Amino acid sequence: MSSPRQTLPGAEHPAPPASPAPATPHPVDESRPLGRILLFGVQHVLVMAATPISAIFLMSATLHLSPGLTVNLLSAAFVLSGVGSLIQSLGPWKFGPRLPFVMLPGGAPLILFLAIAEQHGLPTATGAVLLTAAFTFVVLPVFSRLLAFFPALVIGTMIVIVGVNLVKVGAVLVTGRPGQPGFADPANLGLGLATIGFTVAFYLLSSGILRQLAVMLGLLAGTALAAFLGAVDLGRATDGGLLTVPQLMPFGSPQFNLVAALPLMLYSLASMAEATGQTVINAEAVGKEIDTRTAVPKTVRGDALTSLFGGFFGLPLMVTSGENIGIVRVTGVRSRFVTAAAGLVLIVIGFLAPVTRAISVIPAAVVGGTAMVVFAVITVLGVQMLGRSDLDKHTSTFICAVALALGLLPILVPGVYGGFPPNVRILLESGVAVGATVAAVLNILFHHVRPGITARLATARTESNR
C-alpha cells in the first residue's frame, strides 16, 4: 500500500506567474507633473510668441487695419495657434502626428494672403485660405507622388525667395513705404536697429534657454526703449474689458476666386513637402521612430484643419513651427504634453484682452526689427537646403539661378507687371509662386524629361548601328 503523497505547505495553491512589468512610455508620450508641464509650455510660448505678433502687425500695417481689428486678429491668432498645437500634439483621430509641435500664422502664406488682399480685397483673401485648406485635403492622397517634383533644390530656392521677401516686408515696418510721409524717419530707424542690437546682445551674452529667448527678449527691450522715449501709447493698453472673443468672419462673408487663390494653392504643395521635413526632424529630435507614410499625412491634415478654422477668423494659413524643435533639443524635454500645455496657454492669452491690447501697442518699428531677424533665419534655412542639393552640378546651379532671377524680380522691382491683366498680374507678382513653379518645371525638364529623351536617342543610335 503506497504511502500518502506529502505536499509542502502552500503547494495546494501554487502562486500565479509574475505579471510582466509595465512598458515604460516613450519620452514623447511621458506625462510630467502639471506645474512642470505648464512651466515648460510657457517657455515654448515665449520663444514663438514673436511670430504671431509679427504676422498680425504685418497684416495691420500693410492693409491699414484699425486698432480694434488688429487686437481682434491678434486674439484669433493666439487662439488658433493654441488649437493647432493641441491638434498636432494630442493627435485626435487622423489629425496630428502626436509629436511636440506648435502652430503659427505667418511666413510665405502671409505674404501671399497680403498680395491677394491688396489685389482683390480681404474677403477674397479669406476665401483663398478656405479654398487652399480644402485643396490640401483633396490633394493629400496623391501627395507622395508629387514629392518627387519638389526636391531640396526646388524647396530651397523657394525658401530663399520667401526669406528675402519677408525681410523686405519687415524692413518696411521700420522705414515706412517709399514716397509716403515719414519714410526713413530716424527715430523709427533707431528703434528698429536698437531692437536688432538688443537681440544680438542677448544672443551673445546669454546661454541655454535665455539664448533661445534672445528674439523675445530683444523685442521686450526694444519696447521698453520705445516706452522710455514716449513712442508707446500706454493708454490704449488699459482701455477696455478683461475678456475678448475672436470675431467670426471679421472681413465679411468670404468670396471665392480660384484664379486669385491659385498662388496660395500652389504654395500649399510646397508647404506639404515642408511639413514632411518638419515631421521627420521633430521625430529625430525626440528620438521616436515614425512611419512617414502615416505620420506626415497626419501633420498635413492638422495644418489644413487649423487653417480651415483660422480662415473663418480672418487669418492666413497656419503652419507648423520649427522654433519649438530647437527648444526640445536644448532642454531635453521631449514630452508632447508640454506643447499641448503651450497650446492651452496660447488659448488663454487669446481670450485675455489686457494681454492682447498690451501686445498691440508695441511700435511697428520694434516689431519690424524683430521680424527682420526672425524672417532672415528663413533665408539661411533656404541656403542650407540649397547646400544639400548638388549645386556643384552646373544643371542645378542653372535651375536655381533662373528661378531666383524670376522669383526675386517682382520683389526687387515692385510694379514690374503693372501693365498686365489683374488675374495674370497676381500670379506673376507672387515671387514665391513664380520661383517655385520655375524651379519645379526646370527640375522636371532637366532631371526627368531630358535624361529620358537622351536615353531613347542613345538607344535608337545603338540599334541603327547594328
Side-chain angles (χ1 to χ4, degrees), residues 315-335:
L315 297 177
L317 289 179
M318 305 289 292
V319 296
T320 50
S321 165
E323 297 168 1
N324 61 298
I325 299 175
I327 292 296
V328 170
R329 289 178 173 174
V330 170
T331 63
V333 180
R334 296 180 279 177
S335 174

Side-chain angles (χ1 to χ4, degrees), residues 116 128 132 257-268 427 433:
I116 297 171
T132 302
N257 185 327
L258 280 175
V259 175
L262 190 58
L264 203 57
M265 295 167 71
L266 177 63
Y267 174 80
S268 70
L427 291 174

Side-chain angles (χ1 to χ4, degrees), residues 202-296:
F202 281 118
Y203 198 84
L204 176 66
L205 301 175
S206 302
S207 60
I209 188 59
L210 287 179
R211 198 174 196 188
Q212 288 290 328
L213 296 174
V215 172
M216 193 66 190
L217 293 174
L219 175 69
L220 295 175
T223 304
L225 176 61
F228 176 77
L229 298 175
V232 177
D233 183 7
L234 296 176
R236 203 172 73 198
T238 58
D239 184 20
L242 294 176
L243 296 176
T244 182
V245 178
Q247 180 182 349
L248 189 64
M249 291 187 290
F251 308 127
S253 299
Q255 297 179 6
F256 301 100
N257 185 327
L258 280 175
V259 175
L262 190 58
L264 203 57
M265 295 167 71
L266 177 63
Y267 174 80
S268 70
L269 299 177
S271 179
M272 285 188 277
E274 186 177 351
T276 303
Q278 291 274 24
T279 305
V280 172
I281 293 173
N282 201 327
E284 290 179 356
V286 300
K288 183 176 183 179
E289 293 185 5
I290 60 170
D291 183 356
T292 55
R293 292 173 299 178
T294 57
V296 171

